[in-house]
Amino acid sequence: MAKVEIFDPAMCCSTGICGPSINPELTRVANAVYSLEKQGFDIRRYNLANDPGAFADHEVINRILHDEGPDALPVTLVDGKQAAVGKYPSNEEFSKWFEVPAEELNEKRKVRLTLDINKK
C-alpha cells in the first residue's frame, strides 16, 4: 500500500473554504484526502504554518525548499519519493496510487447541524 504525504504551503487550514474566496482545488484535495483517510489509506498532509518540523525533518522536502524556495509548495511524496511539485495531485493520480476508482474521491464531508429554535 502506498504512503502519500502532501506538504502544503503556509495557510490557515487545508479545506480551501477559509479566506476571502473558496479555493476549489483545495476543496477537491481535502475531499479526496478525507475519502482516502476514511478508507484507511496512509495519506497525510502537513501545513507549513502549523507543522514546520515535518518540513525541516524531511530530507527531500528540505532539498526542494532549499533549491526552489517556498513557491515550490505544495509537494507530494509517494513512498518518500517526489511525485508532484508546485501542484496538487489529480484525483486520477490518487486513484492510481491507491488503486481506488477516481469517482470515490469526490465524496464530500457531510456536516450535520442541529438547531433547537425552541430553547430559551
Side-chain angles (χ1 to χ4, degrees):
M1 181 187 321
K3 175 183 179 181
V4 173
E5 297 171 287
I6 301 171
F7 293 82
D8 289 305
M11 53 189 173
C12 62
C13 75
S14 60
T15 63
I17 58 171
C18 299
S21 62
I22 293 174
N23 182 332
E25 181 68 352
L26 283 175
T27 303
R28 179 192 62 79
V29 172
N31 285 333
V33 169
Y34 170 74
S35 294
L36 292 164
E37 285 176 333
K38 198 169 128 183
Q39 294 178 52
F41 290 108
D42 192 359
I43 185 165
R44 298 184 186 161
R45 289 182 81 177
Y46 304 100
N47 181 338
L48 183 58
N50 300 332
D51 197 3
F55 293 72
D57 294 342
H58 202 290
E59 184 180 332
V60 173
I61 299 302
N62 229 328
R63 179 185 46 78
I64 291 169
L65 289 175
H66 184 266
D67 293 348
E68 302 180 39
D71 289 341
L73 298 173
V75 173
T76 302
L77 305 180
V78 177
D79 294 328
K81 296 179 183 164
Q82 181 180 322
V85 175
K87 69 175 192 77
Y88 287 102
S90 67
N91 282 4
E92 289 72 24
E93 289 171 310
F94 284 128
S95 173
K96 179 182 164 191
W97 296 332
F98 291 108
E99 300 178 0
V100 296
E103 49 279 353
E104 285 185 14
L105 303 175
N106 295 324
E107 181 183 353
K108 293 182 172 52
R109 292 181 189 198
K110 294 178 182 161
V111 177
R112 178 168 284 180
L113 296 175
T114 303
L115 298 175
D116 185 358
I117 58 173
N118 296 320
K119 190 173 183 178
K120 293 182 182 181

